[in-house]
Amino acid sequence: MLLGILGSGSGSNMQAILDAIDAGTLDARIALVLSDNPDAFILERARGRGIETGVIDCGGFRTKFPDEAQAETAARLQAAGVELVCLAGFLRLVKRPLLEAYPGRILNIHPALLPAFPGLESWKQALDAGVSETGCTVHFVDEGMDTGPVILQERVPVLPGDTPESLHARIQVAEHRLYPAAITRVAMNLPHHHV
Ligand code: GRF
């Protein structure tokens, strides 16, 4: 299974995917890593592993993912032979041009037990809401914000004295287990070419 990763930040989830591939628990290869942020550490990590990288030009828009940029992203993923697209800390909303190029083949990881706490900084939302448990979710991407069908979830406790940082760190440990497992589950159910 050839994977394409889209990320805006540190890329620890991409690292977890690479670690699972190295450990032989995930039968896949990362063909291409794209970021909307040329300075994102995810690109440096990928280059360090000899993985092809690229920058998505969003034309100066801060949060919008323009249609032309989505079409260009789809074309680059397809040119690299990508079969499954994994959003890993990608901060723009994917819409039709990219969804239509990869129907049912785009996954996202979200730091909450969806449908609870969609959107940004879900760990902060969970602390503010005073819940005793939150978690993380891998789901298929649709046109909504964090609304597509759930693939796997893992629960994470909120502990007394938690700060946004300590809670996010605990959720990330769970994310790093969950994402490779969810990719394996999806890959088993998708028709794909053997590499
Ligand atoms: C993760 O917490 C993920 O759930 C959220 O953004 C963060 C990305 O972290 N969508 P990283 O770039 O994978 O380290």
Side-chain angles (χ1 to χ4, degrees), residues 9-13 88-89 109-111 168 172 175:
S10 107
S12 72
N13 278 286
I109 184 140
H110 183 78
H168 188 209
Q172 285 224 294
E175 288 183 359

Side-chain angles (χ1 to χ4, degrees), residues 43-66:
L43 292 176
E44 211 172 306
R45 286 195 209 246
R47 282 187 221 110
R49 289 288 301 252
I51 298 169
E52 186 189 342
T53 62
V55 174
I56 303 169
D57 179 4
C58 289
F61 289 104
R62 216 171 50 84
T63 55
K64 196 178 147 189
F65 194 3

Side-chain angles (χ1 to χ4, degrees), residues 72-159:
E72 164 81 16
T73 299
R76 289 167 91 163
L77 292 165
Q78 284 167 338
V82 166
E83 298 165 279
L84 188 66
V85 181
C86 300
L87 309 186
F90 187 67
L91 294 178
R92 293 174 198 254
L93 215 51
V94 169
K95 293 279 187 194
R96 205 159 295 156
L98 187 47
L99 288 170
E100 278 175 357
Y102 281 93
R105 287 171 176 263
I106 306 181
L107 313 187
N108 182 41
I109 184 140
H110 183 78
L113 295 175
L114 290 172
F117 311 129
L120 292 177
E121 299 196 314
S122 311
W123 55 90
K124 246 188 215 160
Q125 296 185 47
L127 271 187
D128 291 345
V131 295
S132 60
E133 187 178 78
T134 180
C136 50
T137 303
V138 178
H139 64 95
F140 288 105
V141 174
D142 65 10
E143 283 216 58
M145 185 180 337
D146 305 321
T147 50
V150 169
I151 300 158
L152 280 180
Q153 295 187 304
E154 183 170 330
R155 296 160 190 269
V156 173
V158 180
L159 299 179

